[in-house]
Amino acid sequence: MKRLFFRDEKRVAAARILFGEEEDFHPQAYEKYTELEVVVQDDGRYSVWGNFPDDADLLQDTRRDSQNKTAELEPLADTCAEED
């Protein structure tokens, strides 16, 4: 499993890649989070979390990455952590 973390202006750039095609997308909605976290499973599925200092919101439940968004996101990440 891999965890990608996006902070500051990269948080909104990542949100645009992940959710920008949605009709009700508003970049300002993601500014309230300390960071966005994308959790990529070994089988290619991923989920998206909006992290606060002491809590988190699930922004997207785990789904297949049919549009290869995680490959586009990885170079933008502030931090990448790999776990077993």
Side-chain angles (χ1 to χ4, degrees), residues 29-41:
Y30 302 94
E31 293 176 355
K32 65 183 176 182
Y33 300 110
T34 307
E35 63 189 4
L36 287 187
E37 177 181 354
V38 178
V39 180
V40 183
Q41 303 294 326

Side-chain angles (χ1 to χ4, degrees), residues 21 43-46 60 63-70:
E21 296 174 359
D43 65 3
R45 296 175 303 131
Y46 72 102
Q60 178 182 287
R63 67 172 61 168
R64 294 237 173 258
D65 188 7
S66 60
Q67 296 179 328
N68 208 21
K69 292 182 178 184
T70 56

Side-chain angles (χ1 to χ4, degrees), residues 10-39:
K10 291 182 182 179
R11 187 181 47 202
V12 174
R16 191 174 311 281
I17 291 168
L18 292 162
F19 306 115
E21 296 174 359
E22 295 178 6
E23 189 173 311
D24 61 347
F25 175 75
H26 298 287
Q28 305 84 351
Y30 302 94
E31 293 176 355
K32 65 183 176 182
Y33 300 110
T34 307
E35 63 189 4
L36 287 187
E37 177 181 354
V38 178
V39 180

